Amino acid sequence: MPQQKITKVVIPVAGLGTRLLPATKSQPKEMLPVGRKPVVQYVVEEMQAAGIEQILFVTGRKKMAIEDHFDADPELVKTLSSGGGYALLEELKYTETDVRFFYTRQSVPLGLGDAVNHAREFANDDHFVVALGDSIIKSDDGSNFTRKMMDLHLREGADCTLAVEEVDPDETYRYGIVKPRAGQEDRDVFEVEDLVEKPKLGTAPSNLAIAARYVFSPAIFEAIRRTAPDRQGELQLTDSIRLLIQLGHKVQAVRLRPGERRYDIGNFESYFKAFIDFALADEKYGYMIRQYLKRKAREL
Ligand code: UTP
């Protein structure tokens, strides 16, 4: 019987975060705050809201802070309770969840394909989501993009569903870029004919970049097994998805619409921009930050 519901997500957080050094020398980049919360907390909350019940983190060395962040902290709760810090107790509510957390280690960060391969037993025979731990997807209307992807994935009987966003044509060399099937270029949901990781300038098949969220059937594991490492010895997930297409599996993409935005904190420019947007949107501090920025802008 076809699967009715997707309940598992894999969150890879084992990368070295070298582009954010020295901030990431001894702490995970996924724990860097965007506004009031670490980036990975947004990812987990987005997955909970999508109906996910089990989360597997693919972690590595220096990533223990992520485990601690999602674990209960009875000592802290006791201190806050006895000291009258009830308002602050509210900030720890996110740890009281029915979602079950699992952890596995990717000892050497050999690429996203290798990280996902660590989820083979966790996924078992189920379709599952992959959500990058350093990227947030925000919808102005509060809708859940991953939820939409999961529904479309099952409804269309796909083996892979990718989130894609339009990027500046000069920036395509930074991303995995998809080529829509001919005639489907303008659709919000389209079949992917091919894809290429970080194409050289002027060679990208479109300006649609893969945007940190994927849904897979277990067929991805066979594709990863058959994928050759790149020149750096890394297994690129994009290459495995390409193989999926060549093996005749259905790969589709869902486009982020206006009002839906991906924030990737992988480099300082995008990290700073994300922080500013979330600080401006903050319920309590947003107004003050807006006033501050307006004053500041006059001096620039
Ligand atoms: P990135 O390639 O952006 O992260 O991976 P990175 O390798 O940590 O960054 P740089 O290039 O050194 O600055 C996106 C996500 O995938 C995870 C990362 O932790 C990040 O959350 N990842 C990446 C893994 O889990 N394993 C890998 O082998 C590579």
Side-chain angles (χ1 to χ4, degrees):
M1 198 171 99
Q3 197 173 325
Q4 304 289 321
K5 207 173 153 214
I6 294 172
T7 58
K8 297 176 182 176
V9 63
V10 179
I11 307 185
V13 290
L16 299 179
T18 53
R19 285 167 296 160
L20 293 180
L21 281 169
T24 49
K25 165 73 170 58
S26 61
Q27 66 173 336
K29 79 165 159 187
E30 296 81 4
M31 284 301 292
L32 292 177
V34 174
R36 294 197 215 184
K37 296 186 253 185
V39 60
V40 70
Q41 190 178 336
Y42 292 96
V43 180
V44 164
E45 287 173 356
E46 179 191 325
M47 294 304 128
Q48 285 170 314
I52 290 294
E53 294 166 11
Q54 297 180 47
I55 296 179
L56 174 72
F57 281 107
V58 181
T59 76
R61 275 179 298 284
K62 302 182 191 169
K63 301 283 180 170
M64 285 301 288
I66 297 173
E67 261 178 75
D68 289 342
H69 188 71
F70 292 104
D71 197 5
D73 188 340
E75 212 175 311
L76 181 59
V77 169
K78 204 168 140 211
T79 309
L80 291 174
S81 311
S82 58
Y86 293 110
L88 292 173
L89 275 176
E90 277 299 304
E91 302 296 341
L92 300 179
K93 279 272 187 278
Y94 73 91
T95 60
E96 297 166 18
T97 168
D98 292 337
V99 170
R100 292 172 62 205
F101 292 97
F102 301 88
Y103 298 87
T104 187
R105 302 265 291 214
Q106 185 192 23
S107 307
V108 187
L110 286 175
L112 208 47
D114 181 64
V116 173
N117 204 29
H118 279 66
R120 193 184 280 261
E121 281 83 20
F122 171 75
N124 198 8
D125 282 333
D126 294 336
H127 291 246
F128 62 100
V129 173
V130 172
L132 300 192
D134 64 352
S135 298
I136 302 166
I137 303 232
K138 191 164 177 272
S139 302
D140 287 348
D141 66 1
S143 61
N144 191 295
F145 194 78
T146 301
R147 175 89 230 180
K148 180 158 84 178
M149 288 175 69
M150 284 158 46
D151 292 345
L152 283 163
H153 179 86
L154 294 180
R155 182 162 11 118
E156 300 295 327
D159 283 294
C160 169
T161 299
L162 303 165
V164 293
E165 64 168 350
E166 281 176 36
V167 296
D168 190 324
D170 294 340
E171 299 276 304
T172 46
Y173 71 93
R174 291 171 184 258
Y175 302 96
I177 302 291
V178 304
K179 179 178 184 202
R181 194 164 290 291
Q184 302 191 4
E185 294 88 348
D186 297 330
R187 294 192 192 166
D188 281 350
V189 184
F190 58 84
E191 273 188 61
V192 176
E193 192 178 293
D194 199 2
L195 62 171
V196 47
E197 184 63 29
K198 302 189 174 67
K200 289 207 178 68
L201 223 66
T203 66
S206 77
N207 67 336
L208 294 167
I210 302 173
R213 301 290 181 267
Y214 312 73
V215 190
F216 290 113
S217 80
I220 189 63
F221 295 113
E222 176 60 12
I224 294 173
R225 197 182 65 76
R226 293 166 71 154
T227 304
D230 67 9
R231 272 197 240 139
Q232 283 74 42
E234 294 191 0
L235 274 182
Q236 295 293 346
L237 188 58
T238 321
D239 290 340
S240 305
I241 300 171
R242 195 170 199 202
L243 203 60
L244 267 186
I245 299 173
Q246 287 161 4
L247 292 170
H249 293 285
K250 180 169 178 175
V251 175
Q252 61 177 3
V254 189
R255 199 190 275 263
L256 269 73
R257 300 307 309 159
E260 294 169 334
R261 184 150 174 210
R262 179 264 278 264
Y263 289 95
D264 157 12
I265 65 138
N267 62 67
F268 280 114
E269 185 187 335
S270 57
Y271 176 46
F272 292 161
K273 285 179 179 167
F275 200 103
I276 291 170
D277 278 10
F278 278 77
L280 285 170
D282 191 277
E283 269 179 22
K284 187 168 170 194
Y285 300 101
Y287 178 77
M288 281 180 265
I289 299 300
R290 209 168 309 127
Q291 301 310 311
Y292 174 72
L293 281 185
K294 278 184 186 165
R295 263 201 324 274
K296 204 80 195 140
R298 285 199 287 272
E299 295 166 16
L300 297 176

